[in-house]
Protein backbone atom coordinates (compact mmCIF):
# COMPACT_ATOMS: atom_id res chain seq x y z
CA UNK A 1 0.00 0.00 0.00
CA UNK A 2 1.43 3.37 -1.00
CA UNK A 3 1.57 6.39 1.28
CA UNK A 4 -1.51 8.05 -0.25
CA UNK A 5 -3.55 4.88 0.17
CA UNK A 6 -2.40 4.46 3.75
CA UNK A 7 -3.19 8.07 4.60
CA UNK A 8 -6.70 7.53 3.26
CA UNK A 9 -7.00 4.27 5.22
CA UNK A 10 -6.18 6.10 8.45
CA UNK A 11 -8.75 8.78 7.69
CA UNK A 12 -11.37 6.13 6.93
CA UNK A 13 -10.59 4.39 10.23
CA UNK A 14 -10.95 7.71 12.09
CA UNK A 15 -14.36 8.24 10.51
CA UNK A 16 -15.52 4.67 11.10
CA UNK A 17 -14.92 4.71 14.86
CA UNK A 18 -17.06 7.87 15.09
CA UNK A 19 -20.10 6.15 13.55
CA UNK A 20 -23.03 6.74 15.96
CA UNK A 21 -24.13 3.13 15.49
CA UNK A 22 -21.09 2.13 17.57
CA UNK A 23 -21.87 4.07 20.75
CA UNK A 24 -25.35 5.63 20.93
CA UNK A 25 -27.09 2.55 22.38
CA UNK A 26 -24.78 2.25 25.39
CA UNK A 27 -25.28 5.92 26.22
CA UNK A 28 -29.08 5.96 26.19
CA UNK A 29 -30.87 6.53 29.52
CA UNK A 30 -33.70 4.34 30.77
CA UNK A 31 -37.00 4.89 29.03
CA UNK A 32 -39.34 7.23 30.92
CA UNK A 33 -42.71 6.48 32.46
CA UNK A 34 -44.10 9.49 30.65
CA UNK A 35 -43.71 10.74 27.11
CA UNK A 36 -40.48 10.15 25.16
CA UNK A 37 -39.39 12.70 22.59
CA UNK A 38 -36.24 12.63 20.43
CA UNK A 39 -35.04 15.86 18.84
CA UNK A 40 -31.73 17.05 17.52
CA UNK A 41 -29.65 18.76 14.89
CA UNK A 42 -26.29 18.36 13.20
CA UNK A 43 -24.56 16.54 10.39
CA UNK A 44 -24.53 13.32 12.44
CA UNK A 45 -27.98 13.73 13.99
CA UNK A 46 -29.93 11.60 11.49
CA UNK A 47 -27.50 8.71 11.95
CA UNK A 48 -27.79 9.24 15.72
CA UNK A 49 -31.58 9.05 15.43
CA UNK A 50 -31.26 5.87 13.39
CA UNK A 51 -29.08 4.43 16.16
CA UNK A 52 -31.61 5.40 18.84
CA UNK A 53 -34.40 3.58 17.04
CA UNK A 54 -32.18 0.55 16.40
CA UNK A 55 -32.16 0.19 20.20
CA UNK A 56 -35.60 1.49 21.21
CA UNK A 57 -37.76 1.00 18.13
CA UNK A 58 -40.00 3.74 16.68
CA UNK A 59 -39.86 7.04 18.61
CA UNK A 60 -41.63 10.34 18.34
CA UNK A 61 -39.42 13.24 17.36
CA UNK A 62 -37.81 15.56 14.85
CA UNK A 63 -34.17 15.87 13.80
CA UNK A 64 -32.61 18.42 11.43
CA UNK A 65 -29.60 17.44 9.35
CA UNK A 66 -27.71 18.69 6.32
CA UNK A 67 -29.00 18.10 2.81
CA UNK A 68 -27.90 14.63 1.74
CA UNK A 69 -27.31 13.44 5.31
CA UNK A 70 -30.74 11.96 5.98
CA UNK A 71 -31.20 8.38 7.15
CA UNK A 72 -34.11 5.92 7.21
CA UNK A 73 -35.92 6.14 10.55
CA UNK A 74 -39.02 4.44 11.91
CA UNK A 75 -40.81 7.23 13.76
CA UNK A 76 -38.45 10.18 14.13
CA UNK A 77 -38.94 12.69 11.32
CA UNK A 78 -35.76 13.71 9.52
CA UNK A 79 -35.71 17.19 7.99
CA UNK A 80 -32.86 18.22 5.72
CA UNK A 81 -31.75 21.85 5.63
CA UNK A 82 -28.82 24.00 4.54
CA UNK A 83 -25.36 24.12 6.08
CA UNK A 84 -23.14 26.10 6.69
CA UNK A 85 -25.47 29.01 5.85
CA UNK A 86 -29.04 28.36 7.14
CA UNK A 87 -32.17 28.37 4.98
CA UNK A 88 -35.95 28.50 5.30
CA UNK A 89 -36.22 24.73 5.76
CA UNK A 90 -34.06 25.01 8.89
CA UNK A 91 -36.13 27.90 10.23
CA UNK A 92 -39.41 26.06 9.75
CA UNK A 93 -38.10 22.81 11.24
CA UNK A 94 -36.68 24.64 14.28
CA UNK A 95 -40.06 26.30 14.89
CA UNK A 96 -41.75 22.90 14.72
CA UNK A 97 -39.19 21.48 17.15
CA UNK A 98 -39.89 24.23 19.67
CA UNK A 99 -43.61 23.50 19.34
CA UNK A 100 -42.98 19.82 20.06
CA UNK A 101 -41.14 20.74 23.27
CA UNK A 102 -43.90 23.00 24.51
CA UNK A 103 -46.08 21.65 27.31
CA UNK A 104 -43.97 18.70 28.44
CA UNK A 105 -44.27 17.46 32.02
CA UNK A 106 -41.87 16.42 34.76
CA UNK A 107 -42.30 12.69 33.95
CA UNK A 108 -41.36 13.16 30.31
CA UNK A 109 -37.92 12.60 28.76
CA UNK A 110 -36.35 14.42 25.85
CA UNK A 111 -33.28 12.90 24.21
CA UNK A 112 -31.45 15.62 22.29
CA UNK A 113 -28.98 14.54 19.61
CA UNK A 114 -26.43 17.28 18.96
CA UNK A 115 -23.46 17.23 16.59
CA UNK A 116 -21.41 19.66 14.57
CA UNK A 117 -23.51 21.62 12.12
CA UNK A 118 -26.29 22.28 14.61
CA UNK A 119 -25.29 25.94 14.77
CA UNK A 120 -26.57 26.49 11.22
CA UNK A 121 -29.28 23.82 11.12
CA UNK A 122 -31.03 25.04 14.30
CA UNK A 123 -32.12 28.44 13.05
CA UNK A 124 -34.41 30.73 15.03
CA UNK A 125 -33.24 34.35 14.61
CA UNK A 126 -33.62 36.54 17.69
CA UNK A 127 -35.54 39.79 17.82
CA UNK A 128 -36.62 41.21 14.48
CA UNK A 129 -33.84 39.54 12.49
CA UNK A 130 -34.91 37.97 9.22
CA UNK A 131 -33.51 34.77 7.75
CA UNK A 132 -31.67 36.80 5.13
CA UNK A 133 -30.00 38.87 7.83
CA UNK A 134 -29.07 35.75 9.77
CA UNK A 135 -27.60 34.26 6.58
CA UNK A 136 -25.50 37.38 6.03
CA UNK A 137 -24.16 37.26 9.59
CA UNK A 138 -23.33 33.57 9.27
CA UNK A 139 -21.51 34.09 5.97
CA UNK A 140 -19.54 37.00 7.48
CA UNK A 141 -18.55 34.84 10.45
CA UNK A 142 -17.35 32.00 8.22
CA UNK A 143 -15.07 34.30 6.25
CA UNK A 144 -13.84 36.36 9.21
CA UNK A 145 -11.15 33.99 10.49
CA UNK A 146 -12.73 34.03 13.95
CA UNK A 147 -12.18 30.86 16.04
CA UNK A 148 -15.18 28.62 16.63
CA UNK A 149 -15.54 29.75 20.24
CA UNK A 150 -15.97 33.39 19.23
CA UNK A 151 -18.32 32.46 16.41
CA UNK A 152 -20.55 30.55 18.77
CA UNK A 153 -20.74 33.31 21.39
CA UNK A 154 -22.17 35.64 18.76
CA UNK A 155 -24.44 32.93 17.36
CA UNK A 156 -25.89 32.25 20.80
CA UNK A 157 -26.88 35.85 21.42
CA UNK A 158 -28.52 36.17 18.00
CA UNK A 159 -30.63 33.02 18.45
CA UNK A 160 -33.74 31.79 20.24
CA UNK A 161 -32.46 28.20 20.60
CA UNK A 162 -28.72 28.32 21.23
CA UNK A 163 -26.97 28.91 24.56
CA UNK A 164 -29.24 26.59 26.56
CA UNK A 165 -32.48 27.87 25.09
CA UNK A 166 -33.51 24.64 23.33
CA UNK A 167 -33.23 22.58 26.53
CA UNK A 168 -34.94 25.31 28.55
CA UNK A 169 -37.91 25.07 26.19
CA UNK A 170 -38.43 21.46 27.35
CA UNK A 171 -38.61 22.28 31.09
CA UNK A 172 -39.73 20.76 33.40
CA UNK A 173 -39.07 17.56 31.43
CA UNK A 174 -35.83 15.69 31.93
CA UNK A 175 -33.35 16.25 29.08
CA UNK A 176 -30.44 13.98 28.16
CA UNK A 177 -28.27 15.45 25.43
CA UNK A 178 -26.00 13.07 23.54
CA UNK A 179 -23.26 15.01 21.75
CA UNK A 180 -20.64 14.27 19.15
CA UNK A 181 -17.85 16.80 19.57
CA UNK A 182 -16.38 18.67 16.63
CA UNK A 183 -14.76 21.43 18.68
CA UNK A 184 -11.34 21.86 20.28
CA UNK A 185 -11.54 20.85 23.93
CA UNK A 186 -14.90 19.04 23.56
CA UNK A 187 -16.73 21.79 25.48
CA UNK A 188 -20.48 20.92 25.42
CA UNK A 189 -21.24 24.64 25.45
CA UNK A 190 -19.45 25.04 22.12
CA UNK A 191 -20.77 21.97 20.28
CA UNK A 192 -23.54 23.26 18.01
CA UNK A 193 -23.43 26.57 19.93
CA UNK A 194 -24.59 24.80 23.09
CA UNK A 195 -28.39 24.52 22.66
CA UNK A 196 -28.58 22.48 25.88
CA UNK A 197 -25.88 24.26 27.90
CA UNK A 198 -26.07 27.43 29.99
CA UNK A 199 -23.65 30.16 29.03
CA UNK A 200 -21.76 32.81 30.95
CA UNK A 201 -21.12 35.19 28.05
CA UNK A 202 -22.82 38.56 27.77
CA UNK A 203 -24.01 40.79 24.96
CA UNK A 204 -20.98 42.94 25.73
CA UNK A 205 -18.77 39.93 24.95
CA UNK A 206 -20.67 39.41 21.70
CA UNK A 207 -20.24 43.05 20.69
CA UNK A 208 -16.50 42.83 21.41
CA UNK A 209 -16.25 39.81 19.07
CA UNK A 210 -18.03 41.79 16.35
CA UNK A 211 -15.48 44.56 16.71
CA UNK A 212 -12.47 42.26 17.01
CA UNK A 213 -13.21 40.36 13.80
CA UNK A 214 -14.77 43.30 11.94
CA UNK A 215 -18.06 41.49 11.34
CA UNK A 216 -20.70 43.48 9.49
CA UNK A 217 -24.02 43.33 11.36
CA UNK A 218 -27.48 44.45 10.22
CA UNK A 219 -29.25 46.98 12.44
CA UNK A 220 -31.67 44.35 13.75
CA UNK A 221 -28.73 42.28 15.05
CA UNK A 222 -27.21 45.33 16.71
CA UNK A 223 -30.55 45.96 18.40
CA UNK A 224 -30.56 42.40 19.75
CA UNK A 225 -27.06 42.83 21.15
CA UNK A 226 -28.03 46.16 22.66
CA UNK A 227 -30.56 44.53 24.99
CA UNK A 228 -30.91 41.31 26.95
CA UNK A 229 -30.88 38.13 24.90
CA UNK A 230 -32.47 34.79 25.71
CA UNK A 231 -29.19 32.98 26.44
CA UNK A 232 -29.72 30.93 29.61
CA UNK A 233 -27.18 31.63 32.38
CA UNK A 234 -25.18 28.77 33.84
CA UNK A 235 -26.90 27.28 36.89
CA UNK A 236 -30.35 28.48 35.85
CA UNK A 237 -33.24 26.45 37.25
CA UNK A 238 -34.57 25.85 33.74
CA UNK A 239 -31.54 23.64 33.09
CA UNK A 240 -31.53 21.82 36.42
CA UNK A 241 -32.80 18.57 34.85
CA UNK A 242 -30.47 18.62 31.84
CA UNK A 243 -27.63 16.13 31.47
CA UNK A 244 -25.05 16.64 28.73
CA UNK A 245 -23.01 13.64 27.58
CA UNK A 246 -20.20 13.85 25.03
CA UNK A 247 -20.38 10.39 23.46
CA UNK A 248 -17.74 10.75 20.71
CA UNK A 249 -14.81 13.10 20.28
CA UNK A 250 -11.76 13.67 18.05
CA UNK A 251 -9.37 11.96 20.49
CA UNK A 252 -11.02 8.59 19.91
CA UNK A 253 -10.64 8.86 16.15
CA UNK A 254 -7.00 9.93 16.36
CA UNK A 255 -6.28 7.03 18.72
CA UNK A 256 -7.83 4.58 16.26
CA UNK A 257 -5.74 5.99 13.40
CA UNK A 258 -2.64 5.78 15.58
CA UNK A 259 -3.35 2.11 16.33
CA UNK A 260 -3.59 1.41 12.59
CA UNK A 261 -0.30 3.23 12.00
CA UNK A 262 1.54 1.30 14.69
CA UNK A 263 0.17 -2.00 13.37
CA UNK A 264 1.69 -1.09 10.01
CA UNK A 265 5.11 -0.44 11.56
CA UNK A 266 5.07 3.34 11.85
CA UNK A 267 6.13 5.27 14.91
CA UNK A 268 3.27 7.59 15.79
CA UNK A 269 3.01 10.95 17.52
CA UNK A 270 -0.27 12.72 18.33
CA UNK A 271 0.42 16.43 18.77
CA UNK A 272 -3.11 17.33 19.83
CA UNK A 273 -6.80 16.78 19.11
CA UNK A 274 -7.74 20.40 19.79
CA UNK A 275 -5.56 22.52 17.53
CA UNK A 276 -6.97 25.76 16.20
CA UNK A 277 -5.70 28.81 14.34
CA UNK A 278 -5.31 30.05 10.78
CA UNK A 279 -4.93 27.04 8.46
CA UNK A 280 -1.92 28.37 6.53
CA UNK A 281 -0.12 29.43 9.70
CA UNK A 282 -0.61 26.04 11.36
CA UNK A 283 0.56 24.38 8.16
CA UNK A 284 3.80 26.38 8.22
CA UNK A 285 4.45 25.28 11.81
CA UNK A 286 3.73 21.65 10.97
CA UNK A 287 6.05 21.79 7.96
CA UNK A 288 8.85 23.10 10.16
CA UNK A 289 8.15 20.34 12.69
CA UNK A 290 8.19 17.64 10.00
CA UNK A 291 11.46 18.89 8.53
CA UNK A 292 13.07 19.05 11.96
CA UNK A 293 11.94 15.52 12.77
CA UNK A 294 13.24 14.28 9.43
CA UNK A 295 16.61 15.96 10.01
CA UNK A 296 16.94 14.05 13.29
CA UNK A 297 16.26 10.67 11.66
CA UNK A 298 18.84 8.21 10.39
CA UNK A 299 18.53 5.87 7.41
CA UNK A 300 17.47 2.88 9.52
CA UNK A 301 14.75 4.62 11.50
CA UNK A 302 11.10 3.68 11.17
CA UNK A 303 8.99 6.26 9.38
CA UNK A 304 6.97 8.50 11.69
CA UNK A 305 3.36 9.62 11.43
CA UNK A 306 2.33 12.87 13.08
CA UNK A 307 -1.41 13.10 13.82
CA UNK A 308 -3.51 16.07 14.85
CA UNK A 309 -7.12 17.18 15.07
CA UNK A 310 -9.07 20.28 16.00
CA UNK A 311 -10.62 23.01 13.92
CA UNK A 312 -8.66 25.42 11.78
CA UNK A 313 -10.01 28.61 10.24
CA UNK A 314 -9.54 30.62 7.07
CA UNK A 315 -9.62 34.37 6.74
CA UNK A 316 -11.14 34.85 3.32
CA UNK A 317 -8.95 37.05 1.13
CA UNK A 318 -9.88 35.86 -2.36
CA UNK A 319 -12.85 34.55 -4.31
CA UNK A 320 -11.72 30.97 -4.81
CA UNK A 321 -13.24 27.69 -3.64
CA UNK A 322 -11.54 26.39 -0.54
CA UNK A 323 -11.80 25.20 3.03
CA UNK A 324 -9.49 24.99 6.03
CA UNK A 325 -8.30 21.45 5.33
CA UNK A 326 -7.51 22.01 1.66
CA UNK A 327 -5.87 25.33 2.47
CA UNK A 328 -3.78 23.65 5.18
CA UNK A 329 -2.70 20.97 2.71
CA UNK A 330 -1.76 23.53 0.05
CA UNK A 331 0.15 25.70 2.52
CA UNK A 332 1.89 22.60 3.89
CA UNK A 333 3.00 21.54 0.42
CA UNK A 334 4.33 25.02 -0.27
CA UNK A 335 6.23 25.18 3.03
CA UNK A 336 7.72 21.69 2.58
CA UNK A 337 8.94 22.75 -0.88
CA UNK A 338 9.06 19.22 -2.31
CA UNK A 339 11.02 17.78 0.63
CA UNK A 340 11.53 14.07 -0.14
CA UNK A 341 9.79 11.42 1.91
CA UNK A 342 7.00 13.56 3.41
CA UNK A 343 3.35 12.91 2.58
CA UNK A 344 0.22 14.26 4.28
CA UNK A 345 -3.57 14.30 4.38
CA UNK A 346 -5.95 16.90 5.79
CA UNK A 347 -9.68 16.21 5.80
CA UNK A 348 -12.85 17.06 7.68
CA UNK A 349 -14.45 13.93 9.12
CA UNK A 350 -17.93 15.10 8.06
CA UNK A 351 -16.88 14.97 4.41
CA UNK A 352 -17.34 18.70 3.89
CA UNK A 353 -14.41 21.12 3.94
CA UNK A 354 -15.73 24.67 4.05
CA UNK A 355 -18.84 24.74 1.88
CA UNK A 356 -17.54 22.26 -0.71
CA UNK A 357 -18.62 18.64 -1.02
CA UNK A 358 -14.99 17.62 -0.58
CA UNK A 359 -13.41 16.28 2.62
CA UNK A 360 -9.91 17.60 1.95
CA UNK A 361 -6.74 16.66 0.08
CA UNK A 362 -3.56 14.58 0.03
CA UNK A 363 -0.08 15.93 -0.75
CA UNK A 364 3.19 14.24 -1.66
CA UNK A 365 6.76 15.31 -2.48
CA UNK A 366 5.81 15.68 -6.17
CA UNK A 367 2.73 17.86 -5.57
CA UNK A 368 4.48 21.10 -6.53
CA UNK A 369 6.18 19.60 -9.59
CA UNK A 370 2.92 18.18 -10.90
CA UNK A 371 1.23 21.52 -10.24
CA UNK A 372 3.84 23.39 -12.26
CA UNK A 373 3.50 20.86 -15.08
CA UNK A 374 -0.24 21.51 -15.07
CA UNK A 375 0.24 25.26 -15.16
CA UNK A 376 -0.89 25.77 -11.56
CA UNK A 377 0.58 28.37 -9.21
CA UNK A 378 0.36 27.34 -5.52
CA UNK A 379 1.01 30.88 -4.29
CA UNK A 380 -1.77 32.25 -6.48
CA UNK A 381 -4.17 29.55 -5.32
CA UNK A 382 -3.41 30.41 -1.68
CA UNK A 383 -3.86 34.12 -2.34
CA UNK A 384 -7.28 33.42 -3.87
CA UNK A 385 -8.32 30.87 -1.20
CA UNK A 386 -8.71 28.46 -4.11
CA UNK A 387 -7.22 25.27 -2.67
CA UNK A 388 -10.10 23.02 -3.76
CA UNK A 389 -9.68 24.05 -7.39
CA UNK A 390 -5.92 23.45 -7.10
CA UNK A 391 -6.28 19.90 -5.79
CA UNK A 392 -9.17 19.11 -8.14
CA UNK A 393 -6.90 19.89 -11.07
CA UNK A 394 -4.27 17.50 -9.67
CA UNK A 395 -6.74 14.75 -8.83
CA UNK A 396 -5.66 14.85 -5.18
CA UNK A 397 -8.96 15.68 -3.52
CA UNK A 398 -10.51 13.33 -0.96
CA UNK A 399 -14.22 12.95 -1.69
CA UNK A 400 -16.25 10.77 0.67
CA UNK A 401 -19.85 11.89 0.35
CA UNK A 402 -21.85 12.13 3.60
CA UNK A 403 -19.93 10.37 6.37
CA UNK A 404 -22.88 10.67 8.82
CA UNK A 405 -20.61 11.82 11.63
CA UNK A 406 -18.44 14.79 12.54
CA UNK A 407 -15.45 14.82 14.90
CA UNK A 408 -13.77 17.65 13.03
CA UNK A 409 -10.45 17.88 11.24
CA UNK A 410 -8.11 14.93 10.73
CA UNK A 411 -4.51 15.56 9.74
CA UNK A 412 -1.67 13.05 9.27
CA UNK A 413 1.90 13.60 8.08
CA UNK A 414 4.10 10.65 7.11
CA UNK A 415 7.82 11.36 7.52
CA UNK A 416 10.41 9.00 6.06
CA UNK A 417 14.14 9.40 6.66
CA UNK A 418 15.60 11.64 3.95
Amino acid sequence: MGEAEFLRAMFDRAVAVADPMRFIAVNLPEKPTGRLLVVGAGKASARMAEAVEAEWGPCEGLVITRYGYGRPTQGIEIVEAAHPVPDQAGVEATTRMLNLLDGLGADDLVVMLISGGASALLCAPAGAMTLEEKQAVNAALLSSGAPIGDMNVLRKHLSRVKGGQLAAAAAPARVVALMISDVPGDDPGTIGSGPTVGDGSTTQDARAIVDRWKIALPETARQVLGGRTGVVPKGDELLSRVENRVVAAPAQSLAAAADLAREAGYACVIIGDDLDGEAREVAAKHAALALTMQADMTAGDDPVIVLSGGELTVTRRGDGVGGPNAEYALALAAALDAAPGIHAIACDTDGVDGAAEVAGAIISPDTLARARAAGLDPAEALAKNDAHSFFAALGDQVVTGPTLTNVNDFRAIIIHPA
Side-chain angles (χ1 to χ4, degrees):
M1 183 184 297
E3 283 82 359
E5 292 79 11
F6 189 72
L7 286 166
R8 178 60 190 268
M10 283 194 296
F11 173 62
D12 290 343
R13 174 70 66 90
V15 171
V17 299
D19 183 346
M21 283 293 183
R22 291 175 174 258
F23 49 76
I24 288 295
V26 298
N27 285 285
L28 288 172
E30 291 186 7
K31 280 191 174 183
T33 56
R35 184 182 176 190
L36 169 63
L37 193 64
V38 179
V39 300
K43 283 175 273 190
S45 61
R47 181 66 161 176
M48 295 168 81
E50 183 183 17
V52 170
E53 291 190 327
E55 180 70 14
W56 278 352
C59 297
E60 178 188 6
L62 171 66
V63 161
I64 311 170
T65 195
R66 190 178 191 269
Y67 288 119
Y69 281 58
R71 294 296 297 168
T73 48
Q74 303 169 57
I76 301 168
E77 181 184 357
I78 306 296
V79 175
E80 296 185 1
H83 177 277
V85 177
D87 66 358
Q88 188 62 33
V91 171
E92 292 174 359
T94 303
T95 299
R96 291 174 54 206
M97 187 180 297
L98 288 170
N99 289 337
L100 276 176
L101 297 174
D102 186 38
L104 295 175
D107 292 332
D108 300 332
L109 171 67
V110 181
V111 175
M112 294 191 174
L113 309 173
I114 306 297
S115 68
S119 290
L121 296 166
L122 280 173
C123 186
M129 289 182 68
T130 64
L131 170 61
E132 291 73 20
E133 289 170 332
K134 189 67 178 287
Q135 289 171 330
V137 172
N138 219 46
L141 274 173
L142 291 170
S143 62
S144 69
I148 189 65
D150 281 4
M151 287 189 193
N152 284 351
V153 168
L154 184 58
R155 286 168 170 163
K156 290 175 185 181
H157 288 280
L158 295 178
S159 171
R160 293 188 291 111
V161 288
K162 300 175 176 68
Q165 296 177 81
L166 185 67
R174 181 187 176 205
V175 174
V176 175
L178 305 183
M179 300 179 171
I180 296 179
S181 173
D182 69 330
V183 299
D186 306 328
D187 176 10
T190 304
I191 302 168
S193 298
T196 63
V197 184
D199 191 82
S201 68
T202 65
T203 53
Q204 183 178 358
D205 296 327
R207 292 194 298 270
I209 289 168
V210 170
D211 294 340
R212 182 181 311 128
W213 297 102
K214 298 179 175 59
I215 298 164
L217 287 186
E219 182 56 32
T220 52
R222 293 193 177 278
Q223 290 173 359
V224 169
L225 298 183
R228 181 177 179 181
T229 65
V231 169
V232 183
K234 292 181 178 180
D236 192 286
E237 180 65 24
L238 287 171
L239 301 179
S240 62
R241 301 194 68 206
V242 177
E243 179 184 355
N244 294 297
R245 303 178 183 175
V246 176
V247 295
Q252 296 160 314
S253 288
L254 289 178
D259 288 342
L260 184 64
R262 294 183 183 110
E263 290 167 7
Y266 292 91
C268 194
V269 178
I270 299 176
I271 59 174
D273 61 23
D274 58 354
L275 305 188
D276 58 15
E278 190 76 17
R280 61 182 65 187
E281 295 174 3
V282 175
K285 294 176 182 177
H286 287 186
L289 172 65
L291 291 170
T292 298
M293 293 177 70
Q294 188 181 60
D296 290 338
M297 298 170 75
T298 60
D301 288 344
D302 290 334
V304 177
I305 294 182
V306 177
L307 295 171
S308 65
E311 183 164 28
L312 305 184
T313 54
V314 171
T315 300
R316 191 168 182 82
R317 301 170 175 87
D319 59 357
V321 180
N325 286 281
E327 183 148 317
Y328 168 94
L330 179 53
L332 184 69
L336 289 171
D337 195 23
I342 301 180
H343 306 251
I345 187 172
C347 290
D348 197 317
T349 54
D350 64 12
V352 181
D353 186 35
E357 305 298 315
V358 180
I362 293 175
I363 68 166
S364 61
D366 68 352
T367 293
L368 298 183
R370 289 188 294 113
R372 285 191 293 270
L376 302 173
D377 184 340
E380 181 182 355
L382 271 176
K384 293 171 59 179
N385 300 117
D386 203 23
H388 281 314
S389 300
F390 178 90
F391 287 114
L394 292 180
D396 290 339
Q397 291 181 311
V398 177
V399 180
T400 61
T403 64
L404 307 177
T405 192
N406 184 16
V407 288
N408 227 323
D409 297 343
F410 174 89
R411 293 176 295 272
I413 303 173
I414 296 178
I415 307 166
H416 289 275

